[in-house]
Amino acid sequence: MDTLLLALTGDFLGTPVYFWVAFIAIVLGLLVFDLGILHRDEHEIGAKESLGLYAFYVVIAIAFGGWVWWQRGPTAGLEFYTGYLIEQSLAMDNMFVIATIFGFLGIPRLYQHRVLFWGILGVIAFRAILIGVGAALVYQFSWILFGFGAFLIFTGIRMFSHKDEEPDIENNPVFRFLRKHFRITPELQGRAFTVKQPDPKSGKLVTWLTPLAVALIMVEVVDLIFAVDSVPAVFAVTQDTFIVYTSNIFAILGLRALYFALAAAMNRFRYLQVSLAIILVLVGIKIFLVPLGIKIDTLLSLIVTLGILVGGVLFSLWKTRNEPDESAVEKPETGQLEP
């Protein structure tokens, strides 16, 4: 027992081990609750269920942040909430791209949760690697924060200048690579990611990817690409690896739940990208100032980020108030998967 207590109170990446254990237990519990209870019977998730599940995840994140605040002080608590909000803001653009992928591949709403759920496992692993590498680089070379800041400013300006562009899935390098190097069934095979079917040339039974598997791979790659923006952004708030990682994961869990509500009215949020671009530029400036010893108050960062995000959402909804809701997955296009 003494050995166990010593291990739990030990230190890992600057944080007591029991904090990590508690976080992992909460995430595993949420995943089991999601798949084993809420979605044990596969069904289409409507906007009402999506909003309810999102609210549940937000409450869990707020409670976790409150525990961090209580255990580690107000600074750590504010850093968690700010990192959480920044990640949620920037990852919203990711949701729109995912909806475009689902629409292009003709993935029905019935199976979209399956892709998003298994995609979360990849997010947990890839974010851990990316944040671990980022933290190590910041620890060894503090000047790299200048690079992070410059990259975020450049990305924000680029996002603003390309705000009206639609993702070109058909010419996406990942999609073209998969179509060239793997056998892909032209149609869905139920909920399966892979199936055994005869090879057109040899007649032997071989493994084929289904459009569902293609969607999962592309969603994982898209998340990895977006993480290159969002992870450095949270480093502008704190270099505490535990805060950066946990705020990232809680934000992604919540947004994946919100996806189905967003997907039902994608056209209503077309002006949100401007807000996200502004947030990226401001966060880039903030992280650029860190090595210079200039620290912007965390509470101020939280308020400004929240204000820009809410302002962007309200403006977008007002600007498109006379437009009907349009789902990004109403018109599937599965013809592109023909071998």
Side-chain angles (χ1 to χ4, degrees):
M1 181 61 72
D2 290 340
T3 304
L4 178 60
L5 288 174
L6 186 62
L8 290 175
T9 54
D11 186 87
F12 179 68
L13 297 177
T15 299
V17 172
Y18 72 88
F19 273 85
W20 291 102
V21 172
F23 167 70
I24 292 170
I26 292 170
V27 171
L28 288 177
L30 289 173
L31 293 177
V32 170
F33 175 71
D34 189 317
L35 188 65
I37 299 176
L38 290 181
H39 301 104
R40 180 171 51 188
D41 299 321
E42 224 155 28
H43 63 279
E44 290 190 18
I45 298 175
K48 184 177 180 180
E49 181 181 349
S50 176
L51 290 170
L53 191 56
Y54 173 69
F56 169 73
Y57 277 114
V58 169
V59 169
I60 296 296
I62 291 174
F64 185 84
W67 179 60
V68 171
W69 188 308
W70 176 51
Q71 291 288 320
R72 300 183 59 182
T75 299
L78 279 174
E79 288 174 347
F80 173 85
Y81 289 131
T82 307
Y84 173 80
L85 185 61
I86 287 175
E87 175 60 34
Q88 282 239 339
S89 303
L90 300 181
M92 276 193 174
D93 204 35
N94 190 2
M95 297 297 101
F96 302 144
V97 177
I98 289 174
T100 304
I101 291 171
F102 284 156
F104 178 83
L105 296 173
I107 308 299
R109 293 176 69 91
L110 179 64
Y111 300 128
Q112 288 174 17
H113 176 266
R114 179 169 167 77
V115 174
L116 294 175
F117 176 85
W118 291 109
I120 283 290
L121 300 182
V123 168
I124 292 171
F126 291 137
R127 293 288 172 119
I129 296 170
L130 198 59
I131 291 171
V133 171
L137 289 174
V138 170
Y139 180 78
Q140 292 291 332
F141 314 103
S142 60
W143 53 264
I144 204 169
L145 291 173
F146 288 122
F148 285 172
F151 176 73
L152 292 176
I153 293 171
F154 168 78
T155 304
I157 294 172
R158 188 177 184 277
M159 180 184 288
F160 184 81
S161 62
H162 292 75
K163 62 182 182 299
D164 296 322
E165 290 185 6
E166 293 290 331
D168 186 1
I169 305 300
E170 186 170 10
N171 293 313
N172 181 278
V174 177
F175 178 70
R176 292 170 63 184
F177 175 85
L178 291 173
R179 190 164 56 175
K180 181 178 180 180
H181 296 281
F182 293 89
R183 303 177 187 88
I184 303 173
T185 61
E187 298 177 354
L188 285 168
Q189 304 295 313
R191 65 198 300 273
F193 288 114
T194 61
V195 292
K196 289 285 188 180
Q197 290 187 354
D199 182 89
K201 296 180 180 179
S202 66
K204 295 181 179 179
L205 282 179
V206 292
T207 300
W208 291 64
L209 297 181
T210 69
L212 210 62
V214 175
L216 177 60
I217 294 169
M218 294 191 69
V219 165
E220 292 286 11
V221 173
V222 164
D223 180 80
L224 195 58
I225 293 171
F226 274 89
V228 174
D229 291 338
S230 62
V231 169
V234 182
F235 276 112
V237 177
T238 178
Q239 287 79 60
D240 186 322
T241 309
F242 179 78
I243 299 296
V244 175
Y245 185 61
T246 55
S247 62
N248 256 256
I249 299 304
F250 275 116
I252 294 299
L253 284 170
L255 270 182
R256 293 293 167 97
L258 183 63
Y259 165 79
F260 295 95
L262 291 175
M266 281 295 173
N267 62 305
R268 299 295 308 279
F269 296 96
R270 74 165 67 100
Y271 297 99
L272 184 59
Q273 198 171 37
V274 176
S275 294
L276 305 185
I278 294 172
I279 290 173
L280 268 177
V281 171
L282 292 179
V283 170
I285 294 172
K286 185 178 188 300
I287 199 172
F288 201 90
L289 296 176
V290 171
L292 300 177
I294 303 173
K295 185 172 176 59
I296 298 176
D297 184 68
T298 304
L299 180 58
L300 177 62
S301 299
L302 178 63
I303 294 171
V304 170
T305 303
L306 182 61
I308 294 172
L309 179 62
V310 172
V313 170
L314 294 177
F315 176 77
S316 195
L317 291 174
W318 176 79
K319 194 74 173 175
T320 60
R321 63 191 181 280
N322 296 320
E323 298 181 15
D325 293 346
E326 295 178 6
S327 171
V329 293
E330 284 179 349
K331 298 179 180 179
E333 304 176 57
T334 54
Q336 290 87 346
L337 296 183
E338 292 290 346

